[in-house]
Amino acid sequence: MRISSLQADEYLRGSPLGFHLRTFASSLVEDGYTDRTIQLKLGLLACLGRWLQPAKLAITDLDERLLDAFLKHRRRVHGGDLKTLRQFLDHLQKRGVVPVPKPVCDRSPLADILNQYETYLRSERGLVAHTILNYQTCVREFLLERFREGPFCLRKIRPSDISGFVLRHGPNMAVGTAHQMTTAFRSFFRFLFQKGELQADLAASVPTVADRRLSTVPKHLSFEAVERMLKACDRRTACSRRDYAILLLLARLGLRAGEVVALQLEDINWRAGEILIRGKGLLHDRMPLPADVGEALSSYLRQDRPVCQTRRVFLRMDAPRRGFANTSAVRSIVRQALGRADLHPAFKGAHVLRHSLATSMLRCGATLGEIGEVLRHRDPNTTETYARVDFDGLRSLAHPWPMGGAQ
């Protein structure tokens, strides 16, 4: 806490910000900021304090508007100044020093139905936050376009409105995005029908999107390629040891990227040799912890993971020390690992290791039921996708092709 006490004291003298600089500096230390960065942030806030004095403004007067005025007053503005000021304002708001601005309440019929839909998705369907946001975004765009020139009335929606929207916008989307849009529409119209907002279930009116990905063999790496990727990991630095543990979770247990991000310290049961997976739809599953995965996790947790408030297992290496914000960090780790091993599959996301585990299990004699259990598939049809990888088995089912023509 050397920075939080010594450096803050330099700026406390005569500052209207008072001891709040010290508490802010302490939080910066906990978040893993370097001494130099903390000094720069405190220096900026000391200038803010001096700027407040002539106007006789108190710390409780701070808000976004006042911070913008302060930046306009400064002759030299650095790239991180606005971030630091907002960070300090957030620090004060969390401690009740500065009131949190009340959000503007949207009481429109559109906002009301979207809020009800959000509650339904979260409490009854058990969807995670980012899926709910994606569904709401699709539905909001449809409703805004449908009622752009007239009053909002859900009972006026017709099947032609839905198909027309999909046909206009679907061709300009990636297949996955278009599929998500139609899935969101079916979910929303079933919700409206159940609530009595619609007299007919319009979910059946949503067109299907052709997904030709399911007509091809799942993108995967051979067992030898996966081992080559793992052996190419450096493991001499804190970052590389963290990444190696993540790659092993993906390759040995077939975890999804989001499940790696969501992993908590209490999810690892060292005595039982188990790990709790926080899967899709708020479903939790326990899986055995392989020895090499346990060793990699133990090495990272003992040597490299900093002490901080978050319970997430995997943290950012740079300040602020927090868990990954989303799955993009995991995807980046996989791409870099593939590049180090000079592997160039068509698909370089984290899911390629999940597919690779399934195909390796199939070629070693595992049944589709066993593969589905490891990958935690709720629908057996999802696992049947991997049957296309078993070329030898499929050949035994194929009829011989006639070699000669008719005489």
Side-chain angles (χ1 to χ4, degrees):
M1 291 292 185
R2 58 190 184 282
I3 290 295
S4 62
S5 58
L6 298 180
Q7 291 294 336
D9 284 342
E10 294 183 17
Y11 304 110
L12 278 171
R13 303 186 186 96
S15 172
L17 301 183
F19 72 96
H20 298 294
L21 285 179
R22 180 179 285 113
T23 61
F24 180 59
S26 298
S27 70
L28 295 176
V29 172
E30 293 175 0
D31 284 340
Y33 285 94
T34 64
D35 294 359
R36 177 59 180 163
T37 301
I38 296 176
Q39 291 177 26
L40 292 173
K41 289 179 178 291
L42 292 179
L44 173 67
L45 295 174
C47 293
L48 172 64
R50 290 192 293 271
W51 180 77
L52 291 172
Q53 281 182 313
K56 297 183 179 179
L57 295 171
I59 192 170
T60 53
D61 296 319
L62 283 180
D63 55 19
E64 290 277 356
R65 179 190 56 80
L66 203 57
L67 296 181
D68 289 338
F70 168 67
L71 285 180
K72 291 179 181 178
H73 166 78
R74 284 176 63 83
R75 295 182 179 179
R76 294 181 180 179
V77 178
H78 300 285
D81 287 357
L82 180 58
K83 178 182 176 181
T84 295
L85 293 172
R86 287 178 174 171
Q87 194 176 14
F88 182 59
L89 181 62
D90 181 65
H91 170 81
L92 297 175
Q93 289 173 344
K94 288 180 178 178
R95 283 156 180 78
V97 179
V98 173
V100 178
K102 296 181 179 179
V104 178
C105 186
D106 186 352
R107 300 186 182 277
S108 66
L110 173 62
D112 180 60
I113 197 65
L114 288 176
N115 289 335
Q116 293 181 49
Y117 181 50
E118 177 186 359
T119 303
Y120 163 78
L121 293 176
R122 184 178 61 254
S123 60
E124 296 188 34
R125 304 301 300 169
L127 300 186
V128 295
H130 74 271
T131 302
I132 293 175
L133 178 61
N134 290 337
Y135 279 22
Q136 281 189 304
T137 301
C138 294
V139 171
R140 180 184 290 106
E141 291 176 356
F142 168 76
L143 294 176
L144 287 174
E145 181 175 306
R146 171 60 183 82
F147 298 108
R148 179 173 47 200
E149 298 177 355
F152 186 85
C153 181
L154 293 171
R155 291 182 179 269
K156 292 184 177 181
I157 298 176
R158 298 291 178 263
S160 58
D161 299 328
I162 304 169
S163 58
F165 185 91
V166 174
L167 291 174
R168 282 193 301 275
H169 299 282
N172 300 321
M173 299 177 177
V175 172
T177 305
H179 187 269
Q180 182 183 73
M181 174 182 66
T182 55
T183 302
F185 286 171
R186 293 188 188 97
S187 166
F188 180 64
F189 291 121
R190 279 194 296 266
F191 159 74
L192 293 180
F193 182 64
Q194 292 172 12
K195 278 183 57 63
E197 297 286 349
L198 297 177
Q199 294 180 339
D201 186 1
L202 295 180
S205 303
V206 181
T208 58
V209 177
D211 192 352
R212 293 180 176 82
R213 294 174 300 173
L214 299 179
S215 64
T216 61
V217 174
K219 302 297 186 296
H220 64 280
L221 299 169
S222 66
F223 173 80
E224 293 75 16
V226 172
E227 294 304 303
R228 178 172 140 197
M229 179 200 69
L230 294 173
K231 289 179 180 178
C233 295
D234 187 355
R235 285 189 278 170
R236 289 181 294 181
T237 65
C239 182
S240 61
R241 286 189 289 269
R242 179 202 65 183
D243 294 352
Y244 180 67
I246 290 174
L247 291 169
L248 277 178
L249 285 169
L250 297 171
R252 300 288 190 252
L253 297 177
L255 265 62
R256 303 175 180 93
E259 293 166 347
V260 172
V261 172
L263 194 63
Q264 306 278 335
L265 291 173
E266 55 269 21
D267 294 340
I268 307 174
N269 188 333
W270 297 102
R271 291 184 178 275
E274 292 180 342
I275 185 170
L276 178 70
I277 310 301
R278 301 171 185 264
K280 297 172 68 174
L282 302 181
L283 296 174
H284 293 177
D285 295 282
R286 294 192 179 277
M287 297 185 68
L289 187 63
D292 56 348
V293 180
E295 290 175 3
L297 282 171
S298 175
S299 176
Y300 161 68
L301 293 174
R302 288 176 180 272
Q303 300 181 58
D304 309 307
R305 186 186 183 279
V307 177
C308 56
Q309 293 183 349
T310 181
R311 301 296 295 172
R312 292 276 186 88
V313 171
F314 297 108
L315 308 181
R316 292 161 35 99
M317 299 309 297
D318 299 326
R321 294 287 174 80
R322 298 170 184 165
F324 297 145
N326 49 51
T327 59
S328 62
V330 178
R331 294 196 297 269
S332 177
I333 289 170
V334 174
R335 286 196 299 269
Q336 292 172 12
L338 293 171
R340 285 194 300 268
D342 197 25
L343 295 170
H344 306 284
F347 178 67
K348 297 181 174 64
H351 232 62
V352 73
L353 297 180
R354 182 175 171 87
H355 292 323
S356 301
L357 174 65
T359 52
S360 294
M361 290 179 63
L362 184 65
R363 287 171 175 165
C364 289
T367 66
L368 291 179
E370 292 169 338
I371 295 172
E373 186 175 350
V374 171
L375 298 186
R376 291 157 286 112
H377 287 156
R378 307 302 167 188
D379 185 356
N381 293 329
T382 306
T383 314
E384 289 176 2
T385 304
Y386 296 102
R388 292 191 296 273
V389 180
D390 189 5
F391 297 114
D392 293 334
L394 291 176
R395 287 192 187 100
S396 67
L397 300 176
H399 294 289
W401 187 262
M403 300 302 295
Q407 297 297 327

